[in-house]
Amino acid sequence: MSDDTILLAHGSGGKLMHELIEKTIAPLVGGAILSTLDDAAEIVLDGASRLAFTTDSYVVNPIIFPGGDIGRLAVSGTVNDLAMKGARPIAISLALIIEEGLTIGELTRILESIARTAREAGVEVATGDTKVVERGSADRLFINTAGLGVIPPERSVSGANARPGDVVIVSGTLGDHGLAVMSEREGLGLSIPVESDVRPLTGLVEALFAAVPAEHVHVLRDPTRGGLATTLNEIAAQSGVTIVLDDESIPVREEVRGACEVLGFDPLYVANEGKFVAVVSPESADAALAALRAHPDGEEAALIGEVEDAGSRKPAVFVRTSLGSRRFLSMLTGEQLPRIC
Amino acid sequence: MSDDTILLAHGSGGKLMHELIEKTIAPLVGGAILSTLDDAAEIVLDGASRLAFTTDSYVVNPIIFPGGDIGRLAVSGTVNDLAMKGARPIAISLALIIEEGLTIGELTRILESIARTAREAGVEVATGDTKVVERGSADRLFINTAGLGVIPPERSVSGANARPGDVVIVSGTLGDHGLAVMSEREGLGLSIPVESDVRPLTGLVEALFAAVPAEHVHVLRDPTRGGLATTLNEIAAQSGVTIVLDDESIPVREEVRGACEVLGFDPLYVANEGKFVAVVSPESADAALAALRAHPDGEEAALIGEVEDAGSRKPAVFVRTSLGSRRFLSMLTGEQLPRIC
């Protein structure tokens, strides 16, 4: 590994990416970009409106995979980053970088998926851009979407808000998206096919806020690149707490667990696109879980752990095994699944 | 040319790109994206704030060129799209797609340029994203920036607002950016090197609004891809008017004119990045011109033509030659300079 060169692992969402952002990007481009530790930045206008603003580029390979495509991903991923700030989406931008040779038919299919997903998420595509580059200068299609949302005044959600005593809830099964993309890319021919869970989470997040007092929802975060393990490590570090998970309560589909074993992946590090983690006050744990399970996008929601005081120790994440021991769960190091989103 | 496949010319800003947007993208992704006929969309919040929202991806090749680099371009281009709606920029996003193998040194140089240009434009980088793709899956570095601005209530600027009698002003010389990138890419070794004019136009636009009543500024537009000719054709079509230019009043540097002759380019179709076109009420023509010329970014501003009633004719752009004849100036067709921004 050379210190001098950008590696694939710098884009993995794991340790190298955090180092790149903290050591190279943030010091140069200014303190505010550190807000990317949350999924969206908060901007307060003079009129006291609180806006959420976020951006993501999508480079998933292949551009069409079981359960979704790059267009559905580009709308969902950005709308979900807004929802993870408690924001209601109002507009997204759509910027296409097309490799010469993509067919109009393929582009049309992706655009139809974008339109369908935007309607599902209740958001409008307000502005756009189209660039075309020569064959070999891109990989078929890259999409960037930026998102703009309004944060209702009573909501205050951040990765820094987890408190000792809080419970950790996940909105559904883990690893589906990463495995679906990987199986398509590698032509694995899984005996039980895995479908991506990519979807907008706006409705599910609104259902949560409708069921519990807004001030009881402390953290929302979607475990995309780097998976649940990396996301929880980010939350632990931002909040200065210890997070302890119950191994047996973490929902993973049988077929995902099986495929992960064959491929040597840990489902806790595999990317998700239609799931979120909520850190909630203990008194609202039951109401939150019930609200999520009552919604079609959250039927498999589960309470998977709790937040503890870190005391004088470094913030960290542990998994409690069925035997009662605690296993340390680190952030993703290196690259597990490149170009998963 | 195949109807089935995306060609480089679909990204040129000219006729094929307009067709792609109008026939394939806009009908699918919804009417609102037609607002991309302006450089930014306008979004009205409940609190009556008027927001401008815009996005652009930058794929310029090479990433460093005389007078600028992809980072300066990515900040200026997006901030300028906000300014072209009369908006004051408040935040931009920064999304990097990096080809594996780019050096940290090169990335640092680009990030420093981004930081410097953002300070110059008075805008904050509020949120970001970093993706890395394999060697051969991108061309070194692509950048997307989306921009968010606030439009002061008294300003109403759109490509649809040009009226018969208005004057057409350009803020400086034409063709500099396109020629600078092209000469670097082709290793032309021009005897008089041409530098790109890439710069944020926020200050110059504010100087204009400080000098004339806001309601006298009808159209602002930066003539990027497709050059002045394409931009004026867009304005003529949006406003339903005829635009007539005076050939001899259009400012083009001697070295740009010379290089264009050698290369077979028409400077009116070459991309600019630090210039804008203003369509202004005739009673404010002198004040507007004086204000631009008094600003360091507008010293070579010139009044280049006027708007006429299209009557029953199709909206169009003409150039009046020194002999008094009128030459039809079409929109760019085909591809002149790929990957210029």
Side-chain angles (χ1 to χ4, degrees), chain A residues 4 35 56 104 126 129-130 225, chain B residues 4 35 56 104 126 129-130 225:
Chain A
D4 276 334
S35 66
D56 262 308
I104 301 271
D129 178 53
T130 305
R225 283 184 285 179
Chain B
D4 277 333
S35 65
D56 263 308
I104 301 273
D129 178 53
T130 304
R225 283 184 285 179

Side-chain angles (χ1 to χ4, degrees), chain A residues 84-312:
Chain A
M84 296 303 106
K85 286 293 281 184
R88 297 194 178 111
I90 50 176
I92 61 171
S93 61
L94 174 66
L96 309 171
I97 298 176
I98 306 173
E99 184 190 17
E100 194 181 19
L102 187 79
T103 68
I104 301 271
E106 290 169 307
L107 180 61
T108 299
R109 178 168 169 186
I110 303 293
L111 290 168
E112 283 167 349
S113 175
I114 288 170
R116 208 179 306 121
T117 311
R119 274 195 300 275
E120 194 179 326
V123 72
E124 200 178 16
V125 179
T127 185
D129 178 53
T130 305
K131 294 287 190 304
V132 182
V133 298
E134 309 88 340
R135 269 177 217 269
S137 290
D139 192 4
R140 311 196 72 210
L141 177 63
F142 299 148
I143 299 181
N144 178 282
T145 48
L148 199 58
V150 173
I151 308 173
E154 68 280 9
R155 298 184 187 175
S156 175
V157 177
S158 165
N161 290 357
R163 297 174 211 163
D166 284 352
V167 297
V168 179
I169 292 172
V170 68
S171 71
T173 56
L174 295 169
D176 304 53
H177 174 72
L179 254 289
V181 173
M182 208 58 194
S183 66
E184 178 74 9
R185 193 190 305 168
E186 304 294 336
L188 291 179
L190 300 176
S191 52
I192 310 169
V194 176
E195 293 225 324
S196 167
D197 55 0
V198 55
R199 71 177 67 139
L201 292 166
T202 329
L204 191 59
V205 168
E206 289 303 318
L208 173 64
F209 277 108
V212 308
E215 67 272 20
H216 286 184
V217 182
H218 298 160
V219 182
L220 296 173
R221 186 70 66 91
D222 54 343
T224 53
R225 283 184 285 179
L228 180 74
T230 302
T231 294
L232 291 179
N233 270 281
E234 289 168 357
I235 294 170
Q238 271 185 272
S239 296
V241 296
T242 299
I243 295 176
V244 184
L245 305 180
D246 282 309
D247 199 9
E248 296 191 336
S249 63
I250 301 170
V252 180
R253 281 188 211 292
E254 261 324 299
E255 57 267 35
V256 170
R257 200 181 291 280
C260 276
E261 269 170 26
V262 171
L263 295 164
F265 294 144
D266 181 337
L268 299 188
Y269 290 92
V270 175
N272 311 277
E273 284 295 340
K275 304 291 158 55
F276 65 85
V277 174
V279 178
V280 173
S281 295
E283 57 269 44
S284 280
D286 292 345
L289 203 54
L292 295 178
R293 285 184 177 162
H295 191 282
D297 293 336
E299 288 169 354
E300 290 164 296
L303 199 159
I304 60 169
E306 62 275 333
V307 179
E308 294 182 356
D309 195 333
S312 57

Side-chain angles (χ1 to χ4, degrees), chain A residues 3-8 10-11 17 20-21 24-25 28-29 32-33 35-36 39-41 43 45 47 49 51 53-59 61 90-105 107-108 111-112 114-115 119 124-139 142 144 146-148 150 225 338-339 341, chain B residues 3-8 10-11 17 20-21 24-25 28-29 32-33 35-36 39-41 43 45 47 49 51 53-59 61 90-105 107-108 111-112 114-115 119 124-139 142 144 146-148 150 225 338-339 341:
Chain A
D3 274 347
D4 276 334
T5 307
I6 302 286
L7 307 172
L8 265 187
H10 279 110
M17 193 173 102
L20 178 70
I21 292 173
T24 305
I25 299 179
L28 288 170
V29 188
I33 206 171
S35 66
T36 50
D39 291 308
I43 295 167
L45 287 187
S49 286
L51 296 179
F53 184 37
T54 187
T55 186
D56 262 308
S57 295
Y58 299 86
V59 298
N61 168 28
I90 50 176
I92 61 171
S93 61
L94 174 66
L96 309 171
I97 298 176
I98 306 173
E99 184 190 17
E100 194 181 19
L102 187 79
T103 68
I104 301 271
L107 180 61
T108 299
L111 290 168
E112 283 167 349
I114 288 170
R119 274 195 300 275
E124 200 178 16
V125 179
T127 185
D129 178 53
T130 305
K131 294 287 190 304
V132 182
V133 298
E134 309 88 340
R135 269 177 217 269
S137 290
D139 192 4
F142 299 148
N144 178 282
L148 199 58
V150 173
R225 283 184 285 179
R339 296 185 55 194
C341 63
Chain B
D3 273 347
D4 277 333
T5 306
I6 301 286
L7 308 172
L8 266 187
H10 281 109
M17 193 174 101
L20 178 70
I21 292 173
T24 305
I25 299 179
L28 288 169
V29 189
I33 206 170
S35 65
T36 51
D39 292 307
I43 294 167
L45 287 187
S49 287
L51 297 178
F53 184 37
T54 188
T55 185
D56 263 308
S57 294
Y58 299 86
V59 298
N61 167 28
I90 51 176
I92 61 170
S93 62
L94 174 65
L96 309 171
I97 298 176
I98 306 172
E99 184 190 17
E100 194 181 20
L102 188 78
T103 68
I104 301 273
L107 180 61
T108 300
L111 290 168
E112 284 167 348
I114 288 170
R119 274 196 299 275
E124 200 176 16
V125 179
T127 186
D129 178 53
T130 304
K131 293 288 191 302
V132 183
V133 298
E134 308 88 339
R135 267 176 217 270
S137 290
D139 193 4
F142 299 149
N144 178 283
L148 200 57
V150 173
R225 283 184 285 179
R339 294 184 58 193
C341 63

